[in-house]
Amino acid sequence: MAMRARQSQRRRQTLSRESIIEAAVELLDAAGESGLTVRALTERLATGSGAIYWHVGTRGELLDAATDTVIAAALATDPAQAPDTPQDEIRVVALGLFDAIAEHQWLATQLAIQLTRTPWEPVTLGIFESIGRQIRALGVPRGNWFTATSALVQYILGATIQNAQIGPNAPLVAPDVDRAEFLDAASIAWQELDPDKYPFMRAIADQMRQHNDREQFLAGIDLVLTGITNLHPPTGQAHIAE
């Protein structure tokens, strides 16, 4: 009896908000949002449900916290390896989000929910701040900061979320489907389209088969950045004090 009491006390001492969130992320990665239950979490952490609620609150709050934690890690950059230009910094942030969503399939849905329902929460703020600072550093006129930043954020998240839905672990693709085989089948289907009705789709069929998701993603970033800098040349407002 005394031994069980000491073990229970040690568990309470080692349990923390961080360890709960870490376990929640592991459950989400393994089984998706449906796999994150209080019962599964208490079993993994060898604790009671009261301790979970004490540290993180409700299941919804735990989902938010897990999302915040993963996105914060994706946005973090090493000061010793800071990119040379605002464009490079934007690419680093974009790839961080791309890789995070590809690794954590559940993140796509949670990001969409937080961005649309609670744009004042840390996830949205962190993403917009990371991109927006670089838009300002590019010298884009202040009146265009919101539009330019929104365009980049919408492209980054739209492309990463779409990629997550068709990736190797995505819920919309059968688990035994090989990516190369899938693209090959799609390419063949495009090549067999009616040439009068779909001349463009037939022309790009081979490019679609051979494309690299990350390279295509970065090419899109460059297209958006080129449009922003051409439409909004620097005006010297980049370092205006707030």
Side-chain angles (χ1 to χ4, degrees):
M1 188 76 173
M3 181 180 295
R4 286 200 298 271
R6 287 195 296 271
Q7 291 173 341
S8 177
Q9 183 179 8
R10 283 198 296 270
R11 285 198 297 269
R12 286 196 299 271
Q13 290 173 345
T14 58
L15 189 67
S16 66
R17 176 180 173 84
E18 290 73 22
S19 63
I20 293 172
I21 293 173
E22 180 180 356
V25 171
E26 292 172 355
L27 285 172
L28 287 164
D29 289 345
E33 184 178 339
S34 62
L36 180 61
T37 65
V38 173
R39 179 176 180 178
L41 199 56
T42 56
E43 290 177 354
R44 178 175 287 259
L45 294 169
T47 188
S49 59
I52 304 295
Y53 293 125
W54 172 263
H55 284 287
V56 296
T58 65
R59 179 179 179 277
E61 290 172 323
L62 179 57
L63 271 170
D64 289 344
T67 303
D68 293 348
T69 298
V70 174
I71 292 299
L75 296 177
T77 56
D78 184 352
Q81 299 178 345
D84 295 329
T85 67
Q87 290 94 331
D88 288 339
E89 176 65 26
I90 287 172
R91 294 184 189 100
V92 169
V93 170
L95 278 178
L97 292 169
F98 184 92
D99 291 340
I101 295 174
E103 181 180 356
H104 307 282
Q105 296 293 319
W106 55 272
L107 192 59
T109 299
Q110 292 307 310
L111 264 181
I113 290 173
Q114 291 205 25
L115 287 167
T116 54
R117 295 182 183 177
T118 55
W120 49 83
E121 294 292 341
V123 166
T124 303
L125 297 178
I127 293 172
F128 266 83
E129 184 70 22
S130 296
I131 298 297
R133 287 184 183 183
Q134 306 313 315
I135 290 296
R136 181 172 63 179
L138 285 171
V140 173
R142 183 170 185 153
N144 301 111
W145 285 356
F146 176 74
T147 300
T149 302
S150 296
L152 263 173
V153 169
Q154 288 171 10
Y155 169 76
I156 291 169
L157 295 181
T160 53
I161 289 172
Q162 181 184 19
N163 182 74
Q165 296 303 316
I166 60 174
N169 301 314
L172 299 185
V173 178
D176 58 343
V177 172
D178 178 80
R179 180 183 184 276
E181 293 178 356
F182 177 83
L183 292 179
D184 187 62
S187 177
I188 292 173
W190 286 10
Q191 289 171 335
E192 294 175 349
L193 291 170
D194 183 335
D196 294 325
K197 191 173 183 180
Y198 299 104
F200 176 78
M201 299 301 292
R202 285 167 54 90
I204 65 171
D206 283 338
Q207 296 177 36
M208 189 275 290
R209 175 195 282 123
Q210 300 167 4
H211 84 277
N212 177 281
D213 290 333
R214 286 169 63 88
E215 291 176 1
Q216 184 186 50
F217 175 68
L218 286 176
I221 295 289
D222 290 341
L223 287 171
V224 178
L225 283 173
T226 298
I228 289 173
T229 52
N230 284 342
L231 286 172
H232 308 299
T235 61
Q237 291 185 325
H239 303 290
I240 292 178
E242 298 298 327

